[in-house]
Amino acid sequence: MMNVERMSATFDEARFSDGLPQAEVNATIRRVYENGEHDVAPFAVTRARMLACALENVRLAVGRNDTFASVVERHYLDSRYGVGEIARIQGERAETVARRDFPEGFARTNSAWAEGRFFTQADLSHTSPDWDRILSLGIPGLLAEAEARHAANPTPFTESVIIACHAFHDFALRFASVCDREGRHDLATELSALAARPPETLHEALQLAILYWHVQETEGEWVRSFGIFDRQYLPFLERDLAAGRLTEESAEELLVAFFAFFHAESKGRDAGAPFCFGGYLPGEPLRDGCNRLTRLAWRAFRTLGTPSPKFSIRVNPDTPREILRFAAECIQEGKNAMVFANEPLVRKAMLRRGKAPADLANFIPIGCYEPAIMGKELSCTMQCVFNLSKPVEDLFADGAAAPATWEEAEERYFAALERDLREALAIARRWERAWNDINPSPMLSATMAECMERGLDVSQFGTKYATSGVVCAGLATAVDSLLAIRTMVFDRGMLSFDDFRAVLLADWEGREDLRQFALRRPPKWGCGDETADALARRICDLAADLIEKAQSAKPGGFQMGLWSIDWCIGIGSKMKATPDGRHAGTPVSKNSGANFGADAEGPAGVVESLSRLDHARFPDGAVLDVMLPPRTIAGEEGAEFLVNFVRTLFARGGQFVHFNSLSAGKLREAQRDPTKYRNLQVRLCGWNVRFVDLDRAHQDWIIREAEGSGA
Amino acid sequence: MKIPVAAIRRLTLHDGPGTRTTVFVKGCPLHCHWCHNPECLSARPQLLFHDNLCAGCGKCADVCSHGAHTSAPHAIDRSRRRLCGQCVEACWHGALEICGRDYTPEALLPLLLRDAAFYESGGGVTVSGGEPLLYAEAVARLFALLRGHGVRLVPSASGESAWKAAKCFVFGSAADAELTGDFDLSAISGARIKHLDNGNLELSVPGAFVVIVR
Ligand code: SF4
Ligand code: SF4
């Protein structure tokens, strides 16, 4: 069985036998970029040349025991993705274009973010390539298509795609020669074959996926999904089994090695490589697609037990219970790098947004939990991050008159929310338009059928669907704060609005009693309280209306997401104390859930509250974090409970859900003695990390969450 | 027809099959040493004090017209309590709580149906305690109401509280029609349970313990 530690060692001790040192690769890329600017070459073409340059020069390695040719000196460069210099150029370029095209908007997005209000960006991709086309056409098929399009109608776009596909092709051959040199003739033969034809075996298909992944991420767009894995790779597996090339056992070993690569490559320090499973197959009537590969892959996942890859499963009423049960058992073992998606609900949300029924079978969670149609949608799911709780702070702004009634306070909140959201969306639209100037993506575009048909890059919205996500964070903080004002100032007259302002400015100093009251007594989001839930619904409905109706540069428009990932920490760090009892600088509420400790009714109350929102209005995703004490999910009952919980939440209209089961005591021990807990994983947001790799602020945040669950 | 309730716990896993909601009633004729819900022993409402939350602010003492609270350190003279609830209201730290509130079966019903969706895979409602059979008639009525909504039920009873009550619960009374046949009366016979000083129970008839649902 493949050993993860050994695989990791491959990366640490890689003997790079080809290519240039990092600094030289970076300098070469910079020269290509500057020459392109100097020659006034179309930027798409320059970008393709930068990619080619990186792929020609980046160092490669293969070990004697490696299952795949996979070691590329890429993540070791000073960037989270891309090759260092490409990422730097993306950043510079974004700033230059923004300062040129919308200087005021750019300045505003910076100032708004400095106070935790919102930010907007050119989200360069939260997307997935079309894995069906990559696997069926292979490298030569993609190249041939580009050449045919170019012959019929040559444009800078077709030229850029040809350069990118050639670079991909040459990269495979270059890796083949490295393998030959290192005595890995088996891999060399396979890579040469992949340069000449589509993959035929499972091993080839997986090898191609690794290669493509390196290529697209080098280009500068994160691969935020590997597609619907069990469906796409099943034909390869079945061919291998029929031909006797693989047995179930050897196939599982192969999958362990394949998945281990993603952990070894990142050591769990990025957001995880996302693989999707299950869900309805294309065509009618609807049939769930879980198959023997689903089972093999999940077994491999369990064997591996690492933070990356991360799995998602599209759950519908026909999902085999046994698969959900298996997932639940993984969670019991602390292998919780997974998210469950409510397929019927996501389908409904997508239909609302005008997506064709026939395309729905290809929906995948992008990145963490943002649904998009694989191969047909360019979804920039974090074009804008918006803080729903900031307008509460504005009520207490210096010089703002105290509202005379609760109704007035509420209306002022909604007016401020609308003002901020409109402003944020107007800037986000400018970023949408600027994208093609910042980051044409020829490799990614080559995989998208509609981009090739229309002759448009993904950054020109060549895909069938192009959407921008507006991530709305801090719902519970907003609701609980407003209702604290209502209860304490207007219903009970405990203090005047101006006194409340002073208390918040002083960060509750000397008024712990009031803070305790604020934490406990007013109605809270996530307890099934009708008043709180109605207010939450109103906030979400207003935000969704504004977001859907806002003018977007993209045909698919803006769409709302109800999640925060760990932005809730960054946002909170910039905010003053809020009336819900929150201290200044501490995180606002996370994702769609209740505030820490405010879920007095436990997960059942949170589910009840969530069921009062219309999750079909959150096409950019909505996720519930469930933290359960280990004793709750222990044993047979615990596993059944998890399955039941997922099913019930989805029956009641939730969209995505994931779980943590951590004991606060154990986490504290891990803080004290990290070496003993090297493998302790936590699901941070939409991804898993090793607890000991987190910084102190994130660690403390997770501990508080665990404490809140009574663990 | 009232049931004194100590607490309603949602998503319980260890009070019967599946995912359940458990109603803990107050009052029990046994006083086992190991009782894990001591606040359920007395049928009367009680003032609970969570000393880990108490900030020693003294507000409870200020408002109590019966002089039940003393501060620094905080103490409650339980002989003086009247359970007017003013101190609970005054305590913003959540350190005081009145445990025990009477519900009619009709008032409990909507609270227990909130999580009906969770019961679908074999769960339901458990009435525990305390000794539910002390309120056999009201509990039977509650069960009849819940059964009308398709909820599966478990009474978690000690069997001690009057064979008569158990009989009324399962075989007799107005609830009979709904209840008979739905319950598997596995082990009640003329059992009597004696509470020994060493903290053990002695059964006069072995195996006489719990009413279990099918
Ligand atoms: S009011 Fe509450 S916090 Fe204050 S002394 Fe009484 S019990 Fe303690
Ligand atoms: S409930 Fe009323 S009588 Fe009893 S301690 Fe509190 S304030 Fe005093």
Side-chain angles (χ1 to χ4, degrees):
Chain A
M1 183 66 50
M2 186 69 206
N3 178 306
V4 186
E5 296 303 326
R6 199 182 74 207
M7 184 87 195
S8 300
T10 310
F11 280 79
D12 291 338
E13 296 151 17
R15 287 198 308 122
F16 291 108
S17 56
D18 192 71
L20 300 176
Q22 294 170 20
E24 285 178 47
V25 178
N26 282 335
T28 320
I29 293 169
R30 176 63 70 170
R31 271 200 299 282
V32 172
Y33 174 58
E34 282 168 358
N35 287 344
E37 292 295 276
H38 184 261
D39 300 344
V40 211
F43 186 47
V45 173
T46 302
R47 285 261 309 152
R49 288 186 183 138
M50 286 157 61
L51 170 66
C53 168
L55 294 179
E56 274 162 30
N57 293 303
V58 73
R59 297 201 293 189
L60 309 175
V62 66
R64 233 176 318 136
N65 299 314
D66 289 6
T67 311
F68 297 99
S70 59
V71 183
V72 178
E73 193 185 41
R74 189 170 66 75
H75 265 268
Y76 301 100
L77 304 186
D78 49 359
S79 149
R80 221 172 157 199
Y81 65 113
V83 166
E85 202 63 14
I86 291 181
R88 260 195 296 283
I89 291 167
Q90 284 174 324
E92 287 166 19
R93 187 99 186 169
E95 191 165 337
T96 309
V97 170
R99 284 191 195 287
R100 183 194 70 201
D101 292 356
F102 50 103
E104 281 158 24
F106 183 61
R108 177 59 189 143
T109 204
N110 288 335
S111 68
W113 181 234
E115 52 179 8
R117 194 173 296 278
F118 62 76
F119 78 82
T120 62
Q121 60 172 351
D123 181 352
L124 295 180
S125 78
H126 259 83
T127 193
S128 167
D130 190 337
W131 287 104
D132 281 334
R133 276 169 46 91
I134 294 170
L135 294 174
S136 62
L137 295 174
I139 301 171
L142 293 171
L143 179 58
E145 182 179 12
E147 281 173 338
R149 298 272 174 201
H150 189 66
N153 179 23
T155 63
F157 169 69
T158 53
E159 189 186 344
S160 71
V161 174
I162 289 178
I163 296 171
C165 291
H166 268 301
F168 188 5
H169 174 267
D170 295 351
F171 180 60
L173 290 181
R174 187 174 149 234
F175 222 146
S177 67
V178 169
C179 291
D180 257 334
R181 204 173 315 146
E182 295 296 322
R184 290 302 306 274
H185 307 298
D186 54 335
L187 289 176
T189 308
E190 182 172 278
L191 289 165
S192 306
L194 287 173
R197 59 161 173 75
E200 286 167 3
T201 66
L202 182 60
H203 193 288
E204 288 178 0
L206 298 173
Q207 175 68 70
L208 182 63
I210 291 177
L211 280 189
Y212 178 82
W213 178 73
H214 275 306
V215 172
Q216 186 187 313
E217 296 224 335
T218 300
E219 180 173 80
E221 301 89 38
W222 252 5
V223 174
R224 295 324 290 138
S225 175
F226 279 83
I228 304 159
F229 188 80
D230 44 3
R231 193 171 93 202
Q232 284 163 346
Y233 291 83
L234 181 67
F236 297 101
L237 172 70
E238 290 195 322
R239 266 202 298 275
D240 286 352
L241 291 173
R245 279 189 296 266
L246 285 178
T247 60
E248 290 239 341
E249 291 69 37
S250 60
E252 193 181 326
E253 271 180 48
L254 181 62
L255 292 173
V256 172
F258 174 69
F259 292 136
F261 157 70
F262 295 98
H263 173 69
E265 209 275 349
S266 68
K267 307 264 178 20
R269 280 185 301 248
D270 64 11
F275 290 81
C276 180
F277 293 86
Y280 289 126
L281 298 170
E284 294 283 343
L286 294 176
R287 271 191 313 120
D288 185 75
C290 283
N291 56 45
R292 70 204 295 186
L293 181 53
T294 323
R295 292 170 182 88
L296 285 179
W298 279 77
R299 286 219 298 265
F301 173 90
R302 190 172 188 171
T303 304
L304 205 53
T306 48
S308 182
K310 58 183 184 184
F311 279 15
S312 60
I313 179 154
R314 308 189 304 174
V315 180
N316 57 58
D318 301 324
T319 303
R321 192 169 177 92
E322 138 246 350
I323 299 273
L324 296 177
R325 186 46 208 253
F326 192 91
E329 286 165 17
C330 291
I331 293 173
Q332 287 181 319
E333 291 167 12
K335 298 162 185 169
N336 62 333
M338 67 179 82
V339 67
F340 301 84
N342 182 355
E343 182 169 28
L345 190 283
V346 170
R347 284 174 164 252
K348 186 173 153 205
M350 289 189 150
L351 287 172
R352 262 193 91 246
R353 299 293 291 166
K355 286 177 180 155
D359 291 335
L360 302 183
N362 277 334
F363 106 75
I364 44 175
I366 291 286
C368 302
Y369 22 66
E370 305 97 290
I373 306 282
M374 181 189 69
K376 294 201 175 300
E377 179 164 3
L378 195 283
S379 59
C380 300
T381 64
M382 292 203 319
Q383 192 79 16
C384 175
V385 173
F386 186 86
N387 176 5
L388 296 168
S389 64
K390 187 69 182 179
V392 179
E393 205 181 272
D394 292 346
L395 294 176
F396 295 97
D398 260 352
T405 61
W406 154 244
E407 288 71 24
E408 189 188 334
E410 195 183 15
E411 290 323 306
R412 270 170 46 185
Y413 166 82
F414 280 102
L417 177 70
E418 180 164 349
R419 176 203 67 208
D420 282 357
L421 203 41
R422 285 187 192 283
E423 188 179 25
L425 293 169
I427 305 171
R429 181 163 65 244
R430 304 305 303 263
W431 280 116
E432 292 180 328
R433 284 206 210 106
W435 193 22
N436 185 235
D437 254 359
I438 299 169
N439 203 60
S441 313
M443 185 70 256
L444 173 58
S445 303
T447 75
M448 305 287 206
E450 278 86 3
C451 284
M452 297 306 293
E453 274 160 31
R454 297 169 179 176
L456 294 173
D457 191 271
V458 290
S459 62
Q460 297 165 307
F461 320 138
T463 43
K464 182 167 180 185
Y465 308 109
T467 49
S468 288
V470 182
V471 178
C472 292
L475 176 68
T477 303
V479 171
D480 294 2
S481 292
L482 287 168
L483 292 175
I485 296 173
R486 175 180 175 165
T487 306
M488 295 165 76
V489 175
F490 297 106
D491 290 354
R492 299 173 68 124
M494 294 164 65
L495 73 177
S496 73
F497 196 86
D498 288 327
D499 288 346
F500 213 157
R501 182 192 336 246
V503 167
L504 295 177
L505 265 181
D507 195 16
W508 305 95
E509 179 72 46
R511 293 314 307 267
E512 183 61 19
D513 56 338
L514 279 179
R515 195 177 87 86
Q516 290 295 331
F517 185 96
L519 286 172
R520 289 168 206 289
R521 295 286 188 88
K524 303 282 179 193
W525 166 246
C527 300
D529 178 278
E530 284 180 24
T531 309
D533 297 351
L535 182 58
R537 172 83 190 219
R538 193 178 160 203
I539 293 174
C540 289
D541 282 350
L542 177 80
D545 282 343
L546 288 167
I547 289 167
E548 282 173 15
K549 289 187 191 131
Q551 234 190 338
S552 156
K554 294 185 184 175
F558 290 112
Q559 44 190 27
M560 178 171 175
L562 188 67
W563 45 279
S564 65
I565 54 172
D566 53 351
W567 293 114
C568 55
I569 297 179
I571 287 171
S573 72
K574 303 172 201 323
M575 281 179 64
K576 302 191 184 92
T578 38
D580 56 347
R582 189 189 133 270
H583 274 303
T586 59
V588 296
S589 59
K590 182 179 173 190
N591 290 329
S592 62
N595 267 314
F596 282 138
D599 53 341
E601 295 285 314
V606 182
V607 171
E608 200 180 347
S609 290
L610 283 175
S611 73
R612 299 199 172 114
L613 300 181
D614 180 359
H615 279 68
R617 301 213 68 187
F618 313 134
D620 196 43
V623 70
L624 174 65
D625 308 87
V626 181
M627 172 73 86
L628 296 164
R631 64 172 184 279
T632 299
I633 63 160
E636 171 70 21
E637 297 94 351
E640 283 298 303
F641 169 73
L642 286 168
V643 174
N644 189 15
F645 188 90
V646 171
R647 287 245 182 253
T648 306
L649 173 69
F650 288 175
R652 301 194 67 180
Q655 197 181 112
F656 283 81
V657 65
H658 53 193
F659 297 90
N660 259 313
S661 181
L662 298 161
S663 108
K666 191 163 161 192
L667 295 174
R668 273 200 213 87
E669 247 175 85
Q671 265 185 336
R672 278 193 296 273
D673 191 357
T675 47
K676 255 174 53 195
Y677 293 89
R678 275 179 46 234
N679 293 322
L680 177 65
Q681 301 183 41
V682 299
R683 187 147 183 90
L684 188 66
C685 298
W687 62 92
N688 280 44
V689 290
R690 293 192 305 192
F691 180 74
V692 297
D693 289 340
L694 290 170
D695 61 35
R696 189 76 188 202
H698 277 78
Q699 285 185 347
D700 290 344
W701 182 56
I702 294 282
I703 290 176
R704 271 187 68 196
E705 240 184 303
E707 273 169 344
S709 77
Chain B
M1 210 188 270
K2 294 248 167 79
I3 307 172
V5 172
I8 298 172
R9 296 258 176 274
R10 304 168 74 174
L11 305 195
T12 55
L13 301 180
H14 305 291
D15 297 319
T19 306
R20 318 189 65 79
T21 296
T22 304
V23 180
F24 293 93
V25 308
K26 265 176 87 58
C28 183
L30 297 175
H31 281 73
C32 310
H33 284 186
W34 62 84
C35 178
H36 59 300
N37 299 325
E39 68 278 17
C40 294
L41 293 178
S42 160
R44 307 231 321 261
Q46 285 165 300
L47 184 64
L48 301 188
F49 173 57
H50 305 285
D51 60 352
N52 57 326
L53 295 176
C54 175
C57 67
K59 275 194 193 159
C60 49
D62 293 347
V63 299
C64 179
S65 47
H66 301 274
H69 294 271
T70 48
S71 40
H74 183 280
I76 303 175
D77 176 352
R78 291 186 184 275
S79 66
R80 290 167 176 262
R81 73 209 156 127
R82 290 295 179 278
L83 286 174
C84 66
Q86 286 187 53
C87 58
V88 176
E89 175 56 35
C91 178
W92 293 353
H93 294 261
L96 296 170
E97 180 191 341
I98 287 183
C99 171
R101 187 177 147 194
D102 286 347
Y103 286 89
T104 61
E106 286 73 14
L108 275 174
L109 182 68
L111 298 178
L112 300 179
L113 289 178
R114 284 179 300 185
D115 295 324
F118 280 106
Y119 309 153
E120 267 159 31
S121 64
V125 168
T126 296
V127 180
S128 177
E131 173 53 76
L133 295 189
L134 284 178
Y135 317 100
E137 216 184 322
V139 173
R141 168 85 189 131
L142 174 66
F143 277 17
L145 292 172
L146 284 165
R147 185 154 296 283
H149 291 269
V151 177
R152 296 157 63 89
L153 303 157
V154 172
S156 175
S158 72
E160 161 61 11
S161 82
W163 166 234
K164 232 165 134 190
K167 217 167 134 188
C168 138
F169 187 63
V170 182
F171 300 116
S173 89
D176 233 3
E178 287 90 347
L179 294 173
T180 318
D182 290 317
F183 289 90
D184 172 12
L185 185 64
S186 62
I188 288 200
S189 59
R192 285 292 176 275
I193 300 164
K194 208 155 90 201
H195 168 221
L196 303 177
D197 282 346
N198 63 7
N200 288 327
L201 288 180
E202 188 186 75
L203 305 182
S204 59
V205 177
F209 211 57
V210 182
V211 189
I212 299 172
V213 84
R214 262 204 277 137

